[in-house]
Structure formats: structure tokens, C-alpha cells
């Protein structure tokens, strides 16, 4: 909509000088109008272009964030009509809620099990693909294949593969004489299984993003480093990593924000379809899953909102830590 | 030593096609790892097709045969009986298309403004955009749901479309690309010729932005296609998106994996097909963007 409106204003401005012989002499007044239009165009158009983002963000990003904090101060039920103001009681209750803490630990555990290997592998595969390969397009397209698979489908497929009694993974482990692992019941094993879905889906995607940045590194930097006698590892540490810094920031931060909100995978991993429990004892219930359960299964919107806010703070803290870590790691060579 | 060797070595390296990478000449290990990775990428998808093409007894074997059976169409037919599959597919397609077009247009417009136009607060506003990447969308579902219920949009597809019309990622991505993809001189020349801002955008910026816009379109469409939590909260179960329909296929006391995985295969195939047809362009688009940026 905005595009159309500003478009027509803009072309009106140029349409006014549709008669090109507007020589400098004859139309002093018109020229100044045109110049003024032109001036306004240059001055204010940029704001028009960025406005949609800020308007939509205000409505669907900022408002929910603030309103969540408001709702979190109430005993606000989805079914009862009149919310009761209870101050910080939801937060106090949350701090003493063992189930919430379990969900928080699960979230962080799954997050670490997924993000760390995912990014390390993405970096490795980006390096491999940066070499001069035969059939490199096939490899690159292949990297993105998991990304186009449906997320829900993935949850169901992995739930099937990790089944205790007749899952393929336990079957293969059995070939090597390993006892079947109860991927759903065992807490840590369930985290590994869920993290494997995340890793499977996002490693190639991140590898491609990193590879794209890697290809932008001027090749003579590598040549120069080689001439200076730098080996592979040295080239990686001294040339590649520092040059990848902005991309690594981006990849790490998006992985952090996405990873800590994980919902679909643990929900679909449950053996009882439709369950929000995250396993019989909540062994793989994540915070977002817990929030969903509180809000839309128990209809306690106030409590769910408090959960959302605490998770938001945790995400910000982790993002800052990761920001700082990425900065440190990729700038070690600069400071020396 | 190191004084003697470099010169001839450098000459030899120049003859090779890729003088500057970390690996140098890729060997057996490189190819082996990559092939293993690709096989690992394909396997779960193949597995779901495998299960979908056999009858339900198949999954009771721990190490079943690894070739497809002949029951795929029978299982697919059961999917259509069990879930409003076509409707869900249509819904997802509609939502994904609208969201994608909108995100690409607004993302490119804003990205262009941030990359190339001088205006007061450019840097500060862009920093703000990047900072909003930190706001977890999933945490807004409660107030969003309340707002949608208030506006009587709950249950309607518009409730899924509206919150996703423009993304911080889209703005960020297009800005990164446009900073270098569009030569400033070209913009100045267009301005000199009397092009209005929006015409300059339309005729100069948009064509240049095409490769990055294609990637953004893919990413946006996939995000929309895979969105689960928000549609689960806001949509009516009788009028679902494809992901909701898939999830409901597995409800019941015992999961019929042949049925469920036939559904997942059916839902994945159209996307997979498009991706295989366009994959090369998409990926080369990512790379092209990178070489310039």
C-alpha cells in the first residue's frame, strides 16, 4: 500500500516535468515547485520506506512484549472474564515452580547440545565447500535440503526413528551390541534426540550462510598468508575467522534466539500425541512448551506471560554472552 | 627455507584453479565428509517415504528393508480421508505467498533506505532494527492471541498473515546486500536524470536486488510454511495450515506411522520439487550476494 501511494506521488513529481523543454528561463516558479517536491522526496521518502517495518514491529513486536509484562501482573484466566491484579505474585510463584526450573534447564541443555555442534559443523562444512570442488553446486544444494523439509514432519520422523522398541536408531545400535537407549524416557537422551533434529535442520543452512561470507574474503589474503608460511590452521585463525566476524555474530545470535525458544520439536517428540507435558515427567519440556501449556491448556494467561518474560530475559542474557564470546574469539588475532 | 620456497610455489599455485582457500586442493577426506553429510541430509526424508510406501506392520520391525514398498498411494488416499489436506495445503500456500511478497517488498524498500539513502537517524534506526532480532516472536503469542480475539480475527488466516508482513531479518538481509550491489554513482545518475526516489528504486534498485530477494523469498516462505506455534494458538482446527493438519494426523492412541509419514511426504514433496528445480539458482544467488557483499 505504502509503495503504491509514495509511487504515485513520486511519479507525479516527475510527471510535472513531462514536457522536457522546460528551459531554465521560462518556468522559474514551476521549477522551484519541482525543486521543492524533489527536496521533499529526497528528504522524506527514506522514512516512508522504513516506516512499514516500524509500524508492524510496534504492533506485533513491541506491543506484545509490553502487554505481556502487563498481563503477567494479573491472575488472568482465559475462561474467567475479570482479571485480578496480583502484582509480582506470578513471578514469585514461578521462582518456586520446580517444573519451570526443570523446563529452563531442559531448554538450556537442548540449546547447548544443538547450537554448539551445529555451528562447529557449519564452520567445518563451509571450509570444506570453500575449496575448489567438483560438482560443488550439488553439494551446496544438498546442504539446504534439510531446511526445506517440513518442521512438523521432521518431528514425527525423528520421533519414529528414536522409538525405543522398534526405532531404527536402536536397531542400528543393536547391530553393534549396544543396548537400546530409551530416547523418550531418559532425560539426557531425550535432549540429545531433540537436539539432533535441530542440528539436522540448521547445520547446512548455517554452513551456506558462512560459506557465502567466506567466499567474499579476498583470495590474495590467503595467498599472502601462505607466502608468509601460514599453515591451514593458521590461515583459518588469522584470516578466515576475523573476516567472518559480522556473519558469525549474525549466525550465533539467530541460533541463540531461535534455540532458546524451541517448541515444535519437543512438542512433537512426545509419545502421547498432542501432549504439552514434554514426556511423562516433563523430562524434555522446554520453557516455550511450558508457557503454551500454562496459557492454552490451563488457561492461566498471567502465569504464562510471566514465564514468557523470564524466558525473554534469559534469551537477552545468552545473546549478550554469545555476542561477547564471538567478539572475543574472532578478534584474538586483531589484538595481538 | 621459507625464503627459498615461496616464489616458485606461488607460481605453481596460481596455475591451480583455487589458490586461496584454507584447504587448498580437496582430497578424499573432503569429499568423503561432504558425501556423508549429504547422505545424512537425505536419509530422514527417504525414511519417511519408505515408511509411507509400506503398510503399518513395517514399522514394527527394527531393521526393516531399505527399499520402498507399493502402498504409497493407498496411504496417501487415507491421508485425504483423515485430514482436510488440500484445504490445509491451500491455506499454507496462500499465507506463505502473501507473507513472502510483503516481506520482500518492504524488506527491500527499507534495506535500500538504510543502505543507500542519507537521512537523519539512519544508523540509530538500523541498530534498532537489528536489536529487534532479539525479541523472541514466540513469547508474544499470549497478548497477540488476546488482540486477535478482540479484533475477531482469531480463527481467520489474516491472524497468521498480519504479524509476519515485515521482518527485521528481511530489512537486515537486504541492507547487507544492497550496500555493495548498487553503485552509488548509478543512483546519483538516476537522480540527475530527474528520477524520483521511488522510480529510482523501481528501475535501478529492484533489478539489482533480485538475487538477494530470491533468497529472502525462500527463507520467508519456509519460515511461514513451517510456522507451528502461532497457527496452533490462533487457528481453528477445522481450517488448519498444513503443519497443523500433519500434527493432527498423529492423534489417537497408537500412531499409524504409514499414514502420518505419507502425510509428511505429501507435504514435503511440493516444496522439495520447487527446491530441486530452483535450488541451483537459489544457492548461486546466495553465493553471488556474498561475492559482492
Amino acid at each position: 500500500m505504502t509503495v503504491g501511494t509514495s509511487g504515485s506521488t513520486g511519479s507525479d513529481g516527475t510527471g510535472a516535468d513531462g514536457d522536457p523543454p522546460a528551459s531554465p528561463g521560462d518556468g522559474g516558479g514551476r521549477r522551484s515547485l519541482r525543486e521543492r517536491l524533489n527536496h521533499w522526496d529526497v528528504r522524506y521518502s527514506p522514512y516512508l520506506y522504513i516506516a512499514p517495518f516500524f509500524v508492524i514491529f510496534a504492533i506485533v513486536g513491541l506491543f506484545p512484549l509490553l502487554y505481556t509484562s502487563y498481563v503477567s501482573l494479573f491472575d488472568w484466566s482465559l475462561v474467567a472474564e475479570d482479571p485480578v491484579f496480583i502484582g509480582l505474585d506470578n513471578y514469585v510463584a514461578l521462582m518456586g515452580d520446580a517444573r519451570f526450573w526443570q523446563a529452563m534447564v531442559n531448554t538450556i541443555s537442548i540449546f547447548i547440545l544443538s547450537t554448539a555442534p551445529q555451528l562447529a559443523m557449519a564452520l567445518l562444512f563451509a571450509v570444506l565447500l570453500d575449496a575448489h570442488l567438483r560438482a560443488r553446486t550439488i553439494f551446496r544444494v544438498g546442504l539446504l535440503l534439510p531446511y526445506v523439509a517440513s518442521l512438523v514432519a521432521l518431528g514425527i520422523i525423528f520421533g519414529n526413528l528414536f522409538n525405543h522398541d522398534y526405532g531404527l536408531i536402536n536397531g542400528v545400535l543393536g547391530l553393534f551390541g549396544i543396548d537400546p537407549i530409551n530416547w523418550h524416557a531418559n532425560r539426557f537422551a531425550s535432549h540429545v534426540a531433540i537436539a539432533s533434529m535441530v542440528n539436522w535442520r540448521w547445520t547446512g543452512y548455517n554452513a551456506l550462510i558462512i560459506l557465502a561470507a567466506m567466499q567474499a574474503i579476498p583470495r590474495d589474503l590467503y595467498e599472502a598468508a601462505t607466502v608468509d608460511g601460514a599453515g591451514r590452521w593458521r590461515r583459518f585463525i588469522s584470516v578466515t575467522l576475523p573476516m567472518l566476524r559480522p556473519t558469525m555474530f549474525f549466525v550465533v545470535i539467530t541460533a541463540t534466539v531461535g534455540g532458546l525458544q524451541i517448541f515444535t520439536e519437543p512438542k512433537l517428540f512426545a509419545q502421547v500425541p498432542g501432549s504439552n507435558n514434554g514426556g511423562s515427567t516433563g523430562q524434555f519440556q522446554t520453557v516455550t512448551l511450558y508457557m503454551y501449556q500454562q496459557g492454552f491448556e490451563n488457561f492461566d494467561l498471567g502465569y504464562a506471560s510471566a514465564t514468557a518474560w523470564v524466558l525473554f530475559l534469559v534469551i537477552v542474557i545468552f545473546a549478550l554472552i554469545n555476542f561477547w564470546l564471538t567478539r572475543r574469539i574472532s578478534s584474538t588475532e586483531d589484538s595481538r | 627455507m621459507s625464503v627459498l620456497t615461496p616464489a616458485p610455489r606461488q607460481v605453481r599455485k596460481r596455475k591451480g584453479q583455487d589458490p586461496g582457500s584454507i584447504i587448498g586442493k580437496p582430497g578424499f577426506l573432503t569429499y568423503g565428509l561432504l558425501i556423508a553429510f549429504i547422505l545424512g541430509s537425505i536419509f530422514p526424508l527417504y525414511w519417511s517415504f519408505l515408511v509411507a510406501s509400506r503398510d503399518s506392520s513395517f514399522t514394527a520391525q527394527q531393521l526393516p528393508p531399505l527399499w520402498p514398498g507399493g502402498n504409497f498411494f493407498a496411504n496417501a488416499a487415507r491421508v485425504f480421508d483423515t485430514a482436510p489436506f488440500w484445504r490445509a495445503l491451500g491455506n499454507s500456500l496462500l499465507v506463505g505467498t502473501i507473507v513472502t511478497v510483503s516481506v520482500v517488498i518492504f524488506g527491500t524498500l527499507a534495506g535500500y533506505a538504510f543502505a543507500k539513502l542519507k537521512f537523519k537517524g539512519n544508523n540509530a534506526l538500523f541498530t534498532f532494527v537489528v536489536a529487534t532480532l532479539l525479541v523472541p516472536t514466540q513469547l508474544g503469542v499470549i497478548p497477540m492471541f488476546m488482540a486477535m480475539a478482540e479484533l475477531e480475527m482469531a480463527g481467520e488466516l489474516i491472524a497468521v498473515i498480519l504479524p509476519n508482513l515485515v521482518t527485521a531479518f528481511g530489512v537486515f538481509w537486504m541492507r547487507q546486500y544492497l550496500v555493495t550491489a548498487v553503485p552509488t554513482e548509478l543512483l546519483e545518475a538516476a537522480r540527475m536524470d530527474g528520477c524520483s526516489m521511488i522510480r529510482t528504486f523501481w528501475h535501478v534498485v529492484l533489478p539489482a536486488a533480485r538475487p538477494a530477494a530470491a533468497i529472502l523469498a525462500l527463507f520467508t516462505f519456509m519460515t511461514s510454511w513451517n510456522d507451528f506455534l502461532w497457527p496452533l494458538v490462533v487457528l481453528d482446527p477445522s481450517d488448519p495450515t498444513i503443519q497443523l493438519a500433519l500434527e493432527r494426523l498423529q492423534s489417537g492412541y497408537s500412531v499409524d506411522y504409514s499414514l502420518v509419514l505419507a502425510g509428511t511426504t505429501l507435504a514435503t514433496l511440493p516444496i522439495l520439487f520447487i527446491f530441486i528445480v530452483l535450488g541451483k539458482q537459489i544457492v548461486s544467488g546466495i553465493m553471488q550476494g556474498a561475492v559482492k557483499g
Side-chain angles (χ1 to χ4, degrees):
Chain A
M1 259 330 196
T2 328
V3 186
T5 335
S6 65
S8 55
T9 336
S11 45
D12 281 353
T14 32
D17 63 308
D19 33 358
S23 62
D26 68 70
R30 266 189 64 187
R31 221 185 123 78
S32 79
L33 175 69
R34 212 182 96 201
E35 265 174 6
R36 242 183 319 167
L37 280 177
N38 196 12
H39 181 70
W40 287 336
D41 189 19
V42 171
R43 189 150 179 194
Y44 297 112
S45 289
Y47 294 106
L48 224 53
Y49 299 168
I50 62 172
F53 173 78
F54 288 93
V55 172
I56 301 258
F57 177 74
I59 299 171
V60 305
L62 207 56
F63 159 75
L65 198 68
L66 299 175
Y67 200 59
T68 307
S69 61
Y70 175 73
V71 175
S72 74
L73 302 177
F74 287 81
D75 183 7
W76 197 315
S77 165
L78 189 62
V79 275
E81 276 302 306
D82 41 348
V84 184
F85 181 81
I86 52 167
L88 294 174
D89 281 7
N90 279 327
Y91 291 93
V92 173
L94 201 60
M95 290 304 112
D97 182 347
R99 194 65 186 241
F100 167 75
W101 286 112
Q102 188 191 15
M104 186 60 85
V105 172
N106 291 346
T107 306
I108 294 170
S109 161
I110 294 171
F111 164 70
I112 292 170
L113 285 171
S114 55
T115 317
Q118 181 195 134
L119 295 180
M121 272 168 60
L123 206 51
L124 169 71
F125 282 102
V127 167
L128 294 181
L129 279 164
D130 194 37
H132 187 80
L133 295 166
R134 287 166 204 278
R136 65 172 132 185
T137 312
I138 293 177
F139 287 122
R140 286 173 181 178
V141 173
L143 279 181
L144 217 46
L145 200 65
Y147 178 72
V148 300
S150 145
L151 192 55
V152 169
L154 191 64
I156 297 171
I157 295 166
F158 274 67
N160 173 263
L161 288 171
F162 280 106
N163 192 293
H164 175 67
D165 298 321
Y166 47 80
L168 182 71
I169 291 179
N170 275 347
V172 172
L173 288 180
L175 290 181
F176 298 98
I178 300 170
D179 287 337
I181 296 168
N182 202 334
W183 296 102
H184 285 83
N186 181 297
R187 191 175 180 195
F188 183 71
S190 70
H191 295 182
V192 171
I194 291 169
S196 74
M197 291 185 224
V198 184
N199 286 323
W200 186 79
R201 186 175 171 77
W202 292 103
T203 300
Y205 169 89
N206 283 318
L208 210 58
I209 302 274
I210 296 170
L211 172 63
M214 227 175 240
Q215 299 241 307
I217 299 173
R219 298 286 122 166
D220 38 349
L221 281 184
Y222 285 123
E223 284 184 59
T226 314
V227 171
D228 287 347
R232 283 176 193 178
W233 185 243
R234 187 80 198 166
R235 268 179 281 171
F236 178 70
I237 297 288
S238 310
V239 181
T240 314
L241 274 187
M243 297 293 283
L244 285 181
R245 211 161 110 185
T247 306
M248 290 310 288
F249 275 144
F250 176 74
V251 166
V252 168
I253 297 299
T254 44
T256 306
V257 178
L260 288 170
Q261 298 184 73
I262 186 166
F263 171 79
T264 309
E265 290 89 343
K267 179 163 168 65
L268 287 158
F269 194 65
Q271 279 181 309
V272 183
S275 160
N276 299 311
N277 273 328
S280 47
T281 55
Q283 65 269 28
F284 52 87
Q285 189 175 44
T286 58
V287 179
T288 310
L289 194 51
Y290 188 63
M291 178 199 82
Y292 178 82
Q293 186 177 38
Q294 292 305 321
F296 299 101
E297 195 182 301
N298 300 343
F299 306 124
D300 194 345
L301 296 180
Y303 200 65
S305 296
T307 313
W309 250 93
V310 174
L311 180 57
F312 174 58
L313 292 181
V314 170
I315 289 176
V316 169
I317 291 167
F318 266 89
L320 289 176
I321 293 172
N322 281 340
F323 185 78
W324 179 77
L325 271 179
T326 317
R327 200 181 159 113
R328 259 192 86 88
I329 290 170
S330 52
S331 62
T332 14
E333 289 304 312
D334 293 345
S335 51
R336 270 180 206 165
Chain B
M1 270 270 280
S2 58
V3 185
L4 287 173
T5 37
R9 212 192 219 179
Q10 201 183 355
V11 173
R12 220 186 318 136
K13 277 203 167 256
R14 281 252 165 80
K15 277 184 195 159
Q17 282 152 307
D18 201 353
S21 74
I22 300 167
I23 302 251
K25 205 168 154 48
F28 176 74
L29 187 65
T30 306
Y31 283 106
L33 280 172
L34 283 170
I35 288 168
F37 185 82
I38 301 295
L39 289 179
S41 296
I42 294 170
F43 183 74
L45 298 176
Y46 179 70
W47 174 258
S48 64
F49 175 66
L50 205 67
V51 178
S53 69
R54 289 176 174 270
D55 61 46
S56 306
S57 66
F58 176 72
T59 41
Q61 297 163 262
Q62 218 172 27
L63 288 171
L66 286 178
W67 56 88
N71 273 352
F72 181 74
F73 291 102
N75 289 327
R78 289 199 296 140
V79 171
F80 300 131
D81 291 340
T82 318
F85 194 82
W86 293 114
R87 191 174 171 88
L89 208 63
N91 283 344
S92 284
L93 220 55
L94 183 71
V95 170
T97 309
I98 296 175
V99 165
T100 302
V101 169
S102 164
V103 165
V104 168
I105 290 178
F106 290 139
T108 312
L109 262 176
Y112 162 58
F114 282 126
K116 288 291 167 185
L117 302 180
K118 289 193 182 75
F119 58 95
K120 222 177 152 193
N122 184 324
N123 282 331
L125 289 171
F126 184 67
T127 309
F128 180 78
V129 171
V130 174
T132 66
L133 282 170
L134 275 184
V135 177
T137 46
Q138 307 223 352
L139 301 188
V141 294
I142 291 156
M144 285 285 284
F145 173 75
M146 292 161 81
M148 291 299 172
E150 194 73 28
L151 296 168
E152 295 184 355
M153 286 183 189
E156 309 287 331
L157 287 183
I158 181 84
V160 186
I161 296 171
L162 204 60
N164 296 311
L165 285 176
V166 54
T167 60
F169 173 74
V171 176
F172 172 83
W173 175 262
M174 293 312 296
R175 182 199 172 267
Q176 292 311 88
Y177 182 75
L178 289 173
V179 162
T180 44
V182 182
T184 310
E185 304 86 66
L186 199 62
L187 294 173
E188 278 164 6
R191 297 287 308 151
M192 291 294 211
D193 291 346
C195 257
S196 67
M197 296 293 274
I198 196 70
R199 275 188 58 178
T200 315
F201 173 77
W202 192 258
H203 291 293
V204 181
V205 179
L206 218 49
R210 216 175 281 158
I215 313 297
L216 179 60
L218 172 82
F219 288 172
T220 309
F221 188 84
M222 290 315 302
T223 309
S224 167
W225 185 262
N226 281 313
D227 196 5
F228 180 63
L229 173 57
W230 177 236
L232 182 69
V233 167
V234 84
L235 283 185
D236 205 280
S238 62
D239 193 13
T241 57
I242 190 70
Q243 307 298 333
L244 297 185
L246 287 182
E247 197 246 355
R248 284 212 312 164
L249 273 184
Q250 63 155 2
S251 60
Y253 287 106
S254 70
V255 181
D256 179 351
Y257 275 113
S258 295
L259 170 74
V260 176
L261 294 185
T264 65
T265 307
L266 282 172
T268 309
L269 279 180
I271 305 290
L272 209 58
F273 179 74
I274 297 172
F275 180 68
I276 286 168
V277 173
L278 298 178
K280 204 176 157 183
Q281 276 89 335
I282 291 165
V283 169
S284 67
I286 299 181
M287 294 305 145
Q288 195 183 340
V291 172
K292 283 179 180 168

